[in-house]
Amino acid sequence: MANPRIGIIGAGQLGRMMALAAYPLCIDCRFLDTAQNAPGGQVGPIHVGALDDADALRALAGEVDVLTFDIENVPIEVLEQVAGQVSVYPQPKVLAAAQDRLAEKRLFRELGIPTAAFVPVDDEHDLDRAAQTLGWPIVLKRRRLGYDGRGQRMADDSASLVHGWRELDRAPAIAERWVNFERELSLIGVGGAEGSLRFYPLSENVHADGQLVCTIAPYEDEDLTLTAERWLEKLMRRYDYRGVLTVEFFHTDAGLLANEFAPRVHNSGHWTIEGAQTSQFENHLRAILGWPLGETAPRGHAAMLNLLGELPDRARVLAMRGVHFHDYGKQPRPKRKLGHCTIVDPDRDRLLKRFAPLQALIAETNC
Ligand code: AMP
């Protein structure tokens, strides 16, 4: 039988790590990306083209068995056009909900998954309504094209809310009540053929300025895990979902609130490469090809640290015992995700002790 071929829209680090997971399984991966030197290019061929270039997408679709994506800004109309030509997983209709924060929040509500209180914002009158309904502080988020804290403004009063809305170019937005959370958690699930479903353990995530800095997994809480799994299952069953799906939560004293979902492999799951029986990347490939899903059990406790803005000295990192170093091959730029490091240890306390010097070293360069 010929080797399966997968087309990945976007050749960022997520696509690159998918293609790396594909290698041992003899799966052929190729990409569509705007840049020839994107991270995936070291692992598979890149078709250079805009993500909304229907011809480029059709050309890629013509060469592969399944099409998937590592980026969420793929225009749905273009994706739906090729969906008649080749299988597209995860399904474009799930991606459509994830691209619009309002649709996403409404979907959570419809499925009985609690979220922070929110008010849609289309004009300045809605800002007054938001202030009355939500109180202060408020987080204003663009409905579309916001990620890693971009496209968001915090407001403590009416003046800063109006100012923030103008800074966001008066784009359609949602105003959200500020959540005083204890911690942030995420759950990654994978949906395969014939309704098969598996979940990784909960991960605890630390963000700075809206961007993920580190993840520690598993976060061991049986009740929270069961609740989060039940919610993810509802979401995945709604769409007969195929592939990896991630939901991010705020853990508050009243329980979990869903913040957002991503119909793709996720930064908070990078620890699964070394820290789980099967990585999220391999399981995504297995799921979209209709192959049996791999075990999602952890191999111990794992800590993952993002390398942001500038890479640390490689030799110093590699000299630290048991540190796994991932360099995505990207040019440095403040806040840009250039790589990550992971440590795995059977014992959580020992893991945290080993993690501290790595954090100190990375703090010298992260920017
Ligand atoms: P998001 O783009 O919605 O994932 O937001 C990025 C990060 O900003 C989250 O992971 C939180 O750390 C923070 N954040 C977003 N929304 C809220 C909120 N309503 N209350 C408190 N923190 C928030």
Side-chain angles (χ1 to χ4, degrees), residues 17-32:
M17 287 186 271
M18 268 188 235
L20 286 169
Y23 245 98
L25 294 167
C26 222
I27 300 167
D28 169 324
C29 288
R30 49 198 60 202
F31 302 93
L32 172 67

Side-chain angles (χ1 to χ4, degrees), residues 101 141 152 176-179 184 207 210 250 259-260:
R101 286 187 187 271
K141 301 179 178 178
Q152 294 191 17
E176 215 174 275
R177 179 174 292 154
W178 181 255
V179 179
E184 294 188 78
H207 292 83
F250 299 128
N259 179 34
E260 61 177 1

Side-chain angles (χ1 to χ4, degrees), residues 57 75-85 88 91-93 96:
L57 205 52
I76 298 298
E77 318 74 57
V78 185
L79 213 49
E80 275 172 346
Q81 278 176 31
V82 289
Q85 186 185 346
V88 180
Q91 295 87 331
K93 56 186 185 236

Side-chain angles (χ1 to χ4, degrees), residues 194-214:
E194 291 159 14
S196 55
L197 212 56
R198 284 178 191 261
F199 298 103
Y200 288 94
L202 277 174
S203 302
E204 178 171 3
N205 305 316
V206 177
H207 292 83
D209 296 331
Q211 192 177 25
L212 184 70
V213 176
C214 76

